[in-house]
Amino acid sequence: MKALVCDRYGPPDVLRLEEVERPTPRDDQVLVKVHASSLNAADLEILGGAAWARIGGPFRPRNKILGSDVAGQVVEIGRNVKRWKKGDAVFGDLFMCGFGAFAEYVAVREDALMLKPDSISFEDAATLPQAAKIALQGLRGRRPLKKGQKVLINGAGGGMGTFAVQIAKYFGAEVTAVDSAGKLEMLRTIGADHVIDYVKEDCTKSGERYDLILDTVTRRSIFEYRRIMAPDGLFVLIGGSRYAIFQAMVLGPFVSIISKKKLGINPWNVNSEEDLRFLLELIEKGMLLPVIDRRIPLDEVPEALRDLSKGLVNGKVVVMIENVDKI
Ligand SMILES: NC(=O)c1ccc[n+]([C@@H]2O[C@H](COP(=O)([O-])OP(=O)(O)OC[C@H]3O[C@@H](n4cnc5c(N)ncnc54)[C@H](OP(=O)(O)O)[C@@H]3O)[C@@H](O)[C@H]2O)c1
Protein backbone atom coordinates (compact mmCIF):
# COMPACT_ATOMS: atom_id res chain seq x y z
CA MET A 1 0.00 0.00 0.00
CA LYS A 2 1.03 3.65 -0.33
CA ALA A 3 1.90 5.51 2.86
CA LEU A 4 3.58 8.73 3.87
CA VAL A 5 6.57 7.55 5.84
CA CYS A 6 8.34 9.58 8.51
CA ASP A 7 11.47 7.91 9.89
CA ARG A 8 13.20 10.97 11.34
CA TYR A 9 12.30 14.25 12.96
CA GLY A 10 12.52 17.32 10.79
CA PRO A 11 10.56 19.67 8.53
CA PRO A 12 7.67 18.30 6.42
CA ASP A 13 10.17 17.53 3.59
CA VAL A 14 11.39 14.47 5.52
CA LEU A 15 8.07 12.75 4.71
CA ARG A 16 8.27 10.32 1.79
CA LEU A 17 5.47 8.66 -0.13
CA GLU A 18 6.47 4.97 -0.22
CA GLU A 19 5.14 1.54 -0.98
CA VAL A 20 5.01 -0.31 2.37
CA GLU A 21 3.53 -3.55 3.59
CA ARG A 22 -0.18 -3.45 4.37
CA PRO A 23 -0.69 -3.90 8.14
CA THR A 24 -2.28 -7.06 9.48
CA PRO A 25 -4.83 -6.43 12.23
CA ARG A 26 -4.14 -7.97 15.64
CA ASP A 27 -6.90 -9.95 17.36
CA ASP A 28 -8.44 -6.78 18.87
CA GLN A 29 -8.01 -4.66 15.74
CA VAL A 30 -9.74 -4.04 12.44
CA LEU A 31 -8.10 -3.09 9.16
CA VAL A 32 -9.57 0.16 7.85
CA LYS A 33 -9.35 1.20 4.22
CA VAL A 34 -8.75 4.90 4.70
CA HIS A 35 -10.99 7.17 2.66
CA ALA A 36 -10.08 10.46 4.33
CA SER A 37 -7.86 11.88 7.03
CA SER A 38 -7.11 15.45 8.08
CA LEU A 39 -4.12 17.46 9.26
CA ASN A 40 -3.70 18.53 12.86
CA ALA A 41 -1.14 20.80 14.49
CA ALA A 42 -0.17 17.69 16.49
CA ASP A 43 1.18 16.04 13.27
CA LEU A 44 3.50 19.01 12.82
CA GLU A 45 4.59 18.92 16.44
CA ILE A 46 5.50 15.22 16.24
CA LEU A 47 7.35 15.72 12.98
CA GLY A 48 9.26 18.64 14.49
CA GLY A 49 10.30 16.47 17.45
CA ALA A 50 8.32 18.28 20.17
CA ALA A 51 9.37 17.30 23.71
CA TRP A 52 6.13 15.35 24.31
CA ALA A 53 6.58 13.41 21.07
CA ARG A 54 10.16 12.42 22.03
CA ILE A 55 8.92 10.68 25.18
CA GLY A 56 7.87 7.74 23.00
CA GLY A 57 10.69 8.15 20.46
CA PRO A 58 13.75 10.06 21.70
CA PHE A 59 15.73 9.85 18.44
CA ARG A 60 13.15 9.11 15.74
CA PRO A 61 9.33 9.17 15.64
CA ARG A 62 7.79 6.23 17.44
CA ASN A 63 5.12 5.91 14.75
CA LYS A 64 6.49 5.87 11.22
CA ILE A 65 3.18 6.86 9.69
CA LEU A 66 1.45 9.96 11.06
CA GLY A 67 -2.20 10.97 10.71
CA SER A 68 -4.54 10.70 13.68
CA ASP A 69 -7.94 11.49 12.16
CA VAL A 70 -9.34 8.64 10.14
CA ALA A 71 -12.58 7.96 8.26
CA GLY A 72 -12.92 4.82 6.19
CA GLN A 73 -14.31 1.35 5.79
CA VAL A 74 -13.60 -1.85 7.73
CA VAL A 75 -12.13 -4.43 5.35
CA GLU A 76 -10.75 -7.06 7.76
CA ILE A 77 -11.46 -7.93 11.36
CA GLY A 78 -9.30 -9.47 14.10
CA ARG A 79 -10.43 -12.68 15.72
CA ASN A 80 -11.74 -11.06 18.95
CA VAL A 81 -13.46 -8.09 17.37
CA LYS A 82 -17.12 -7.92 18.38
CA ARG A 83 -18.17 -4.46 17.38
CA TRP A 84 -17.46 -4.26 13.68
CA LYS A 85 -18.02 -6.23 10.53
CA LYS A 86 -16.55 -5.93 7.06
CA GLY A 87 -18.02 -2.99 5.17
CA ASP A 88 -18.84 -0.83 8.21
CA ALA A 89 -18.10 2.87 7.69
CA VAL A 90 -16.16 4.16 10.68
CA PHE A 91 -14.18 7.14 11.92
CA GLY A 92 -12.01 7.97 14.93
CA ASP A 93 -8.94 9.53 16.53
CA LEU A 94 -5.78 7.41 16.44
CA PHE A 95 -3.75 9.79 18.64
CA MET A 96 -3.46 7.27 21.48
CA CYS A 97 -3.30 4.16 19.35
CA GLY A 98 -0.43 4.48 16.94
CA PHE A 99 -1.52 7.09 14.37
CA GLY A 100 -1.14 5.76 10.78
CA ALA A 101 -3.97 7.43 8.84
CA PHE A 102 -1.69 8.98 6.18
CA ALA A 103 -1.82 5.65 4.33
CA GLU A 104 -4.19 3.56 2.26
CA TYR A 105 -4.86 1.16 5.14
CA VAL A 106 -4.47 1.34 8.90
CA ALA A 107 -4.93 -1.32 11.61
CA VAL A 108 -6.96 0.14 14.50
CA ARG A 109 -8.12 -1.09 17.91
CA GLU A 110 -11.84 -1.67 17.65
CA ASP A 111 -12.68 0.64 20.55
CA ALA A 112 -11.00 3.64 18.90
CA LEU A 113 -13.65 3.78 16.19
CA MET A 114 -17.24 4.93 15.87
CA LEU A 115 -19.86 4.22 13.24
CA LYS A 116 -20.04 6.93 10.58
CA PRO A 117 -23.65 7.74 9.73
CA ASP A 118 -24.53 7.69 6.00
CA SER A 119 -25.70 11.30 6.31
CA ILE A 120 -22.12 12.49 6.89
CA SER A 121 -19.44 12.32 4.23
CA PHE A 122 -16.09 10.64 4.86
CA GLU A 123 -14.35 13.98 4.41
CA ASP A 124 -16.50 15.77 7.01
CA ALA A 125 -16.12 12.82 9.39
CA ALA A 126 -12.33 13.03 9.01
CA THR A 127 -12.29 16.62 10.29
CA LEU A 128 -14.02 15.83 13.59
CA PRO A 129 -12.22 13.27 15.73
CA GLN A 130 -9.41 15.38 17.16
CA ALA A 131 -10.11 19.06 16.47
CA ALA A 132 -13.86 19.24 17.02
CA LYS A 133 -13.81 16.92 19.99
CA ILE A 134 -11.07 18.88 21.78
CA ALA A 135 -12.89 22.13 20.99
CA LEU A 136 -16.08 20.74 22.56
CA GLN A 137 -14.24 19.38 25.60
CA GLY A 138 -12.45 22.72 26.05
CA LEU A 139 -15.77 24.58 25.99
CA ARG A 140 -17.81 22.41 28.33
CA GLY A 141 -15.40 19.94 29.91
CA ARG A 142 -14.65 21.91 33.07
CA ARG A 143 -18.03 23.53 33.53
CA PRO A 144 -21.14 23.89 31.35
CA LEU A 145 -21.17 26.91 29.06
CA LYS A 146 -24.30 29.01 29.63
CA LYS A 147 -26.37 31.07 27.24
CA GLY A 148 -25.23 34.69 27.07
CA GLN A 149 -21.78 34.05 28.55
CA LYS A 150 -18.85 35.81 26.94
CA VAL A 151 -16.22 33.56 25.39
CA LEU A 152 -12.85 34.55 23.92
CA ILE A 153 -11.24 32.04 21.54
CA ASN A 154 -7.57 32.67 20.77
CA GLY A 155 -6.30 30.95 17.61
CA ALA A 156 -9.91 30.80 16.41
CA GLY A 157 -9.16 30.42 12.70
CA GLY A 158 -7.41 27.07 12.92
CA GLY A 159 -8.61 23.48 12.94
CA MET A 160 -9.83 23.51 16.51
CA GLY A 161 -10.80 27.16 16.71
CA THR A 162 -13.24 27.07 13.79
CA PHE A 163 -15.13 24.28 15.54
CA ALA A 164 -14.93 26.06 18.92
CA VAL A 165 -16.48 29.26 17.51
CA GLN A 166 -19.47 27.39 16.07
CA ILE A 167 -20.00 25.16 19.11
CA ALA A 168 -19.83 28.14 21.50
CA LYS A 169 -22.45 29.89 19.35
CA TYR A 170 -24.62 26.76 19.49
CA PHE A 171 -24.49 26.99 23.31
CA GLY A 172 -25.68 30.61 23.04
CA ALA A 173 -22.40 32.33 23.98
CA GLU A 174 -21.24 35.74 22.76
CA VAL A 175 -18.02 34.89 20.96
CA THR A 176 -14.90 36.97 20.40
CA ALA A 177 -12.53 35.29 17.95
CA VAL A 178 -8.82 36.18 17.84
CA ASP A 179 -6.59 35.31 14.88
CA SER A 180 -4.62 36.90 12.03
CA ALA A 181 -6.26 39.42 9.67
CA GLY A 182 -6.79 37.00 6.76
CA LYS A 183 -9.04 34.73 8.84
CA LEU A 184 -11.30 37.33 10.42
CA GLU A 185 -13.90 37.51 7.63
CA MET A 186 -14.27 33.72 7.65
CA LEU A 187 -14.65 33.84 11.45
CA ARG A 188 -17.51 36.32 11.13
CA THR A 189 -19.25 34.09 8.58
CA ILE A 190 -19.15 31.11 10.95
CA GLY A 191 -20.76 33.16 13.72
CA ALA A 192 -18.14 35.12 15.68
CA ASP A 193 -19.77 38.22 17.19
CA HIS A 194 -16.49 40.11 17.50
CA VAL A 195 -13.09 39.55 15.94
CA ILE A 196 -9.61 40.71 16.93
CA ASP A 197 -6.48 40.73 14.77
CA TYR A 198 -3.81 39.59 17.22
CA VAL A 199 -1.07 41.34 15.24
CA LYS A 200 -2.71 44.74 15.73
CA GLU A 201 -4.38 44.36 19.10
CA ASP A 202 -3.51 42.66 22.37
CA CYS A 203 -6.75 41.04 23.52
CA THR A 204 -5.55 41.00 27.14
CA LYS A 205 -5.60 44.80 27.10
CA SER A 206 -9.11 45.16 25.66
CA GLY A 207 -10.78 46.01 28.97
CA GLU A 208 -13.48 43.36 28.23
CA ARG A 209 -14.29 40.59 30.74
CA TYR A 210 -14.83 36.99 29.62
CA ASP A 211 -16.51 34.07 31.38
CA LEU A 212 -14.43 31.59 29.39
CA ILE A 213 -11.15 32.00 27.53
CA LEU A 214 -10.11 29.13 25.30
CA ASP A 215 -6.58 29.39 23.94
CA THR A 216 -5.38 26.98 21.27
CA VAL A 217 -1.99 28.69 20.80
CA THR A 218 -0.98 30.34 24.10
CA ARG A 219 2.14 32.39 23.40
CA ARG A 220 2.12 34.59 26.53
CA SER A 221 2.08 34.01 30.25
CA ILE A 222 -1.35 32.61 31.12
CA PHE A 223 -1.51 35.07 34.03
CA GLU A 224 -1.86 37.96 31.56
CA TYR A 225 -5.35 36.66 30.88
CA ARG A 226 -6.45 37.19 34.50
CA ARG A 227 -7.16 40.86 33.86
CA ILE A 228 -9.77 40.05 31.18
CA MET A 229 -11.42 37.22 33.10
CA ALA A 230 -14.81 37.72 34.76
CA PRO A 231 -14.57 37.48 38.59
CA ASP A 232 -15.33 33.74 38.42
CA GLY A 233 -13.97 33.31 34.88
CA LEU A 234 -12.25 30.21 33.50
CA PHE A 235 -9.14 30.01 31.31
CA VAL A 236 -8.58 26.76 29.41
CA LEU A 237 -5.30 26.12 27.57
CA ILE A 238 -5.57 23.75 24.61
CA GLY A 239 -2.12 24.27 23.10
CA GLY A 240 0.77 26.70 23.25
CA SER A 241 4.37 27.27 24.24
CA ARG A 242 6.13 24.89 26.64
CA TYR A 243 6.26 27.68 29.20
CA ALA A 244 2.50 28.31 29.00
CA ILE A 245 1.72 24.60 29.21
CA PHE A 246 3.95 24.30 32.29
CA GLN A 247 2.17 27.27 33.89
CA ALA A 248 -1.29 25.88 33.14
CA MET A 249 -0.45 22.39 34.39
CA VAL A 250 1.62 23.24 37.46
CA LEU A 251 0.74 26.77 38.60
CA GLY A 252 -2.85 26.92 37.26
CA PRO A 253 -4.31 24.46 39.80
CA PHE A 254 -2.59 26.31 42.66
CA VAL A 255 -3.90 29.72 41.56
CA SER A 256 -7.35 28.19 41.07
CA ILE A 257 -7.45 27.13 44.74
CA ILE A 258 -6.68 30.58 46.10
CA SER A 259 -8.74 32.59 43.60
CA LYS A 260 -12.23 32.47 42.10
CA LYS A 261 -10.63 32.79 38.66
CA LYS A 262 -9.72 29.31 37.40
CA LEU A 263 -6.80 28.55 35.09
CA GLY A 264 -5.91 25.17 33.67
CA ILE A 265 -5.38 22.80 30.81
CA ASN A 266 -8.25 21.35 28.80
CA PRO A 267 -9.71 18.05 29.97
CA TRP A 268 -8.91 15.70 27.10
CA ASN A 269 -10.77 12.44 26.66
CA VAL A 270 -9.44 10.95 23.42
CA ASN A 271 -12.07 8.32 22.82
CA SER A 272 -15.20 10.03 24.10
CA GLU A 273 -18.02 8.56 22.07
CA GLU A 274 -20.54 10.79 23.80
CA ASP A 275 -18.74 13.89 22.55
CA LEU A 276 -18.42 12.57 18.99
CA ARG A 277 -22.09 11.63 18.97
CA PHE A 278 -23.00 15.15 20.10
CA LEU A 279 -20.87 16.61 17.28
CA LEU A 280 -22.48 14.32 14.71
CA GLU A 281 -25.89 15.52 15.86
CA LEU A 282 -24.84 19.15 15.44
CA ILE A 283 -23.65 18.43 11.91
CA GLU A 284 -26.83 16.54 11.06
CA LYS A 285 -28.93 19.46 12.37
CA GLY A 286 -26.88 21.83 10.21
CA MET A 287 -25.58 23.66 13.29
CA LEU A 288 -21.93 22.78 12.68
CA LEU A 289 -20.12 22.95 9.38
CA PRO A 290 -16.48 21.87 9.14
CA VAL A 291 -14.45 24.70 7.60
CA ILE A 292 -12.40 22.91 4.94
CA ASP A 293 -9.56 24.95 3.48
CA ARG A 294 -8.74 22.36 0.82
CA ARG A 295 -8.83 18.68 -0.07
CA ILE A 296 -5.51 17.12 -1.07
CA PRO A 297 -4.05 13.78 -2.15
CA LEU A 298 -1.51 12.01 0.07
CA ASP A 299 1.53 13.32 -1.81
CA GLU A 300 0.55 16.95 -1.09
CA VAL A 301 0.59 16.48 2.70
CA PRO A 302 4.17 17.86 3.14
CA GLU A 303 3.28 21.08 1.31
CA ALA A 304 0.02 21.44 3.27
CA LEU A 305 1.87 20.87 6.56
CA ARG A 306 4.28 23.64 5.56
CA ASP A 307 1.30 25.92 4.92
CA LEU A 308 -0.21 24.94 8.28
CA SER A 309 3.03 25.91 10.02
CA LYS A 310 2.97 29.31 8.28
CA GLY A 311 -0.65 30.04 9.22
CA LEU A 312 -1.85 29.69 5.62
CA VAL A 313 -4.71 27.32 6.43
CA ASN A 314 -8.28 28.34 7.31
CA GLY A 315 -9.85 25.58 9.41
CA LYS A 316 -8.97 22.05 8.23
CA VAL A 317 -7.05 20.41 5.40
CA VAL A 318 -8.62 17.09 4.41
CA VAL A 319 -6.47 14.33 2.93
CA MET A 320 -8.54 12.33 0.45
CA ILE A 321 -6.96 8.90 0.20
CA GLU A 322 -9.86 7.33 -1.66
CA ASN A 323 -12.44 9.78 -2.92
CA VAL A 324 -15.57 7.69 -2.32
CA ASP A 325 -17.64 10.78 -1.48
CA LYS A 326 -17.49 11.80 -5.10
CA ILE A 327 -18.37 8.38 -6.56
N1 LIG B 1 -4.47 19.82 24.66
C1 LIG B 1 -4.92 18.90 23.85
O1 LIG B 1 -5.71 18.12 24.21
C2 LIG B 1 -4.45 18.92 22.44
C3 LIG B 1 -4.49 17.79 21.63
C4 LIG B 1 -4.07 17.88 20.34
C5 LIG B 1 -3.59 19.12 19.88
N2 LIG B 1 -3.54 20.19 20.73
C6 LIG B 1 -3.02 21.52 20.35
O2 LIG B 1 -4.02 22.39 19.92
C7 LIG B 1 -3.42 23.46 19.24
C8 LIG B 1 -4.29 23.99 18.11
O3 LIG B 1 -4.41 23.04 17.10
P1 LIG B 1 -5.05 23.43 15.71
O4 LIG B 1 -5.08 22.16 14.92
O5 LIG B 1 -6.30 24.22 15.87
O6 LIG B 1 -3.91 24.42 15.12
P2 LIG B 1 -3.96 25.32 13.82
O7 LIG B 1 -4.93 24.79 12.84
O8 LIG B 1 -2.54 25.54 13.43
O9 LIG B 1 -4.59 26.71 14.36
C9 LIG B 1 -3.92 27.62 15.14
C10 LIG B 1 -4.46 29.04 14.80
O10 LIG B 1 -3.88 29.99 15.69
C11 LIG B 1 -3.47 31.15 14.96
N3 LIG B 1 -2.40 31.81 15.70
C12 LIG B 1 -1.06 31.62 15.64
N4 LIG B 1 -0.43 32.41 16.54
C13 LIG B 1 -1.39 33.11 17.19
C14 LIG B 1 -1.36 34.08 18.22
N5 LIG B 1 -0.22 34.48 18.79
N6 LIG B 1 -2.53 34.59 18.66
C15 LIG B 1 -3.72 34.19 18.10
N7 LIG B 1 -3.81 33.27 17.10
C16 LIG B 1 -2.66 32.73 16.66
C17 LIG B 1 -3.03 30.58 13.62
O11 LIG B 1 -3.12 31.56 12.60
P3 LIG B 1 -1.86 32.36 12.01
O12 LIG B 1 -0.73 31.39 11.97
O13 LIG B 1 -2.34 32.88 10.69
O14 LIG B 1 -1.57 33.45 12.95
C18 LIG B 1 -4.09 29.49 13.39
O15 LIG B 1 -5.24 30.03 12.75
C19 LIG B 1 -2.03 22.98 18.85
O16 LIG B 1 -1.09 23.67 19.63
C20 LIG B 1 -2.04 21.51 19.25
O17 LIG B 1 -0.81 21.06 19.72
C21 LIG B 1 -3.99 20.10 21.97
Side-chain angles (χ1 to χ4, degrees), residues 139 145 149-153 168 173-177 210-214:
L139 288 168
L145 185 57
Q149 286 192 318
K150 290 189 175 181
V151 176
L152 178 103
I153 299 168
E174 182 180 328
V175 176
T176 301
Y210 299 96
D211 300 290
L212 171 66
I213 298 171
L214 198 68

Side-chain angles (χ1 to χ4, degrees), residues 41 45 134 154-155 158-160 179-180 183 198 216-217 238 266 268 311:
E45 288 169 18
I134 291 174
N154 195 44
M160 248 171 244
D179 212 299
S180 52
K183 295 176 185 157
Y198 74 85
T216 75
V217 282
I238 290 187
N266 80 315
W268 188 22

Side-chain angles (χ1 to χ4, degrees), residues 24-210:
T24 307
R26 291 193 315 252
D27 290 352
D28 63 342
Q29 287 182 324
V30 298
L31 185 69
V32 175
K33 182 165 175 49
V34 183
H35 293 322
S37 179
S38 75
L39 305 190
N40 285 292
D43 296 310
L44 260 182
E45 288 169 18
I46 296 177
L47 199 55
W52 62 266
R54 286 185 191 261
I55 295 168
F59 306 112
R60 58 185 65 86
R62 181 176 178 193
N63 303 297
K64 275 190 157 189
I65 305 174
L66 298 180
S68 56
D69 287 328
V70 67
Q73 217 152 11
V74 174
V75 290
E76 244 180 87
I77 52 172
R79 170 168 8 162
N80 300 333
V81 169
K82 304 262 181 313
R83 219 174 146 185
W84 306 112
K85 58 180 185 331
K86 280 186 197 177
D88 282 341
V90 290
F91 73 113
D93 184 353
L94 312 184
F95 191 92
M96 295 300 270
C97 55
F99 289 76
F102 294 161
E104 288 179 302
Y105 295 88
V106 60
V108 184
R109 247 179 27 217
E110 67 165 334
D111 60 352
L113 296 168
M114 258 188 78
L115 193 68
K116 181 192 80 64
D118 289 342
S119 54
I120 290 173
S121 65
F122 283 100
E123 62 179 84
D124 280 355
T127 64
L128 296 179
Q130 191 170 110
K133 189 183 52 198
I134 291 174
L136 174 63
Q137 291 171 355
L139 288 168
R140 69 170 186 183
R142 285 187 175 261
R143 64 164 79 136
L145 185 57
K146 294 193 195 120
K147 199 166 179 219
Q149 286 192 318
K150 290 189 175 181
V151 176
L152 178 103
I153 299 168
N154 195 44
M160 248 171 244
T162 46
F163 283 117
V165 169
Q166 298 178 73
I167 299 166
K169 286 305 295 176
Y170 172 79
F171 286 131
E174 182 180 328
V175 176
T176 301
V178 186
D179 212 299
S180 52
K183 295 176 185 157
L184 302 185
E185 195 43 48
M186 173 273 292
L187 287 165
R188 280 188 216 279
T189 61
I190 61 169
D193 300 287
H194 317 281
V195 292
I196 295 177
D197 173 356
Y198 74 85
V199 179
K200 289 201 182 130
E201 192 182 336
D202 180 348
C203 62
T204 66
K205 296 192 175 140
S206 65
E208 244 334 316
R209 293 286 178 277
Y210 299 96

